[in-house]
Amino acid sequence: MIVVNDLHKEFVKLGKPKYGFGKRVAEKVKAVDGISFTANDGQILGLLGANGAGKTTSLRMVASLLTVDCGQIAVDGIEVKSDQQATQSKMGILSDARGLYPRLTARENIAYYGLLHGMERSLIDRRIGQLSEWLGLREVIERRTEGFSQGERMKVALARALIHDPRNIILDEPTNGLDVVATRALREFLRWLRSPEGGSKCIVFSTHIMQEVERLCDQVVIVARGQTVATGTVPELLRLAGEPDFEDAFVKLAFLEQKGFASTSAAAPTSSMQENSLAAQKETE
């Protein structure tokens, strides 16, 4: 279970000189300005937003790859802090940059991450066998990853993220560059991971593709301008927007301020809701 409450993150970048020369002026960029959500075990939650909405930055903070300026994150009841292994070990992370080592085989890429997690070699070999079967990697598992297709690279990167059998899975736009067949295979695998047979995993993934959200997500969090603007199931968001088409509903909800609507949501996350979620999680443990 992942609970995110009112995240904020600001970056500083150097802008261009005012007249094309001279001193460059530092500019503050608000990447995340109040994102909240709760992702439960046995569910798939989608962060839906346009490019630059704050999805990737939020997920990197959840993965403790970025420090939080303001807000709280808890993974299975444990507060997330930068470089904290206690929460990192509970998550499998697939970033947009796959980052495979091209001179290593698929098996070696996956095994290396198992060793980083402190796993024994016998357990690593057993997990690689399972993941190879589930993801259809048996034919390429002993090949160097240099020259792999996008679909093959995604499968190896996903197996690497799942080698330690994490309870929570973070996927940052996992279908980027994939063809239809690879995308369908990924969707089916995520549905299986969500099921009791697959371990009832808590899965959070970011996307800007409406079709993925409609076909896969149990809960949807619409993000715009670094903020959570609407939360709910696909039918709930359609009713909230008063639109029969999900793409039209997304545009209407994501850009409420420009269109003059009042900002609301089907199940809007509030500070009290997030606090209750955290308390409930601690009580169960």
Side-chain angles (χ1 to χ4, degrees):
M1 181 178 183
I2 298 173
V3 179
V4 172
N5 182 28
D6 196 25
L7 283 190
H8 293 260
K9 184 64 181 178
E10 190 174 75
F11 296 99
V12 177
K13 70 173 185 177
L14 291 177
K16 295 181 180 180
K18 187 173 182 180
Y19 299 106
F21 60 89
K23 187 177 180 180
R24 299 174 69 184
V25 180
E27 299 176 354
K28 292 184 178 180
V29 178
K30 195 77 171 178
V32 177
D33 192 23
I35 287 181
S36 302
F37 61 83
T38 297
N40 294 306
D41 294 338
Q43 288 191 346
I44 299 175
L45 181 142
L47 285 183
L48 177 63
N51 292 332
K55 305 185 301 294
T56 294
T57 301
S58 297
L59 292 185
R60 287 179 178 173
M61 286 189 283
V62 172
S64 75
L65 299 175
L66 287 176
T67 57
V68 177
D69 289 349
C70 182
Q72 300 83 38
I73 307 169
V75 176
D76 293 338
I78 301 174
E79 184 181 358
V80 171
K81 297 179 181 178
S82 180
D83 298 323
Q84 179 175 272
Q85 293 184 351
T87 54
Q88 288 179 336
S89 64
K90 294 178 177 290
M91 290 185 285
I93 302 162
L94 178 67
S95 64
D96 185 33
R98 308 297 187 222
L100 301 181
Y101 296 102
R103 294 188 178 183
L104 298 183
T105 65
R107 178 185 295 277
E108 290 168 340
N109 268 280
I110 300 168
Y112 176 57
Y113 269 62
L115 292 172
L116 291 177
H117 281 286
M119 299 172 63
E120 295 183 0
R121 177 64 70 171
S122 59
L123 178 56
I124 291 173
D125 291 339
R126 185 161 67 250
R127 281 290 292 170
I128 289 177
Q130 291 174 333
L131 292 165
S132 297
E133 181 68 29
W134 295 336
L135 291 168
L137 284 171
R138 288 196 176 277
E139 294 183 2
V140 300
I141 195 68
E142 306 299 346
R143 282 175 43 196
R144 288 186 177 183
T145 57
E146 187 174 17
F148 270 24
S149 68
Q150 287 282 7
E152 291 168 341
R153 291 175 63 81
M154 180 277 297
K155 289 179 180 180
V156 174
L158 182 56
R160 186 181 62 183
L162 300 178
I163 185 64
H164 58 302
D165 196 19
R167 295 172 60 181
N168 306 279
I169 302 169
I170 306 293
L171 309 171
D172 187 13
E173 303 199 355
T175 60
N176 273 2
L178 299 186
D179 60 25
V180 174
V181 174
T183 299
R184 287 172 63 92
L186 176 62
R187 281 203 299 259
E188 288 302 315
F189 186 59
L190 294 181
R191 290 190 185 104
W192 182 77
L193 289 173
R194 173 186 62 186
S195 70
E197 295 78 11
S200 297
K201 307 294 188 184
C202 169
I203 302 172
V204 178
F205 81 96
S206 66
T207 186
H208 58 267
I209 302 173
M210 309 296 152
Q211 187 182 56
E212 289 182 359
V213 171
E214 288 185 280
R215 294 187 177 185
L216 194 59
C217 292
D218 301 294
Q219 285 287 318
V220 183
V221 177
I222 295 180
V223 178
R225 304 172 300 280
Q227 301 175 332
T228 296
V229 296
T231 302
T233 64
V234 170
E236 286 172 344
L237 294 174
L238 288 171
R239 288 196 296 270
L240 178 64
E243 298 285 349
D245 179 76
F246 189 58
E247 182 176 317
D248 292 337
F250 165 73
V251 171
K252 190 173 183 178
L253 293 170
F255 304 102
L256 291 174
E257 292 181 2
Q258 290 91 325
K259 292 182 175 293
F261 295 100
S263 181
T264 185
S265 72
T270 64
S271 296
S272 60
M273 287 174 59
Q274 303 294 345
E275 290 169 1
N276 291 337
S277 298
L278 282 167
Q281 179 66 30
K282 291 177 181 177
E283 287 176 5
T284 59
E285 297 187 355

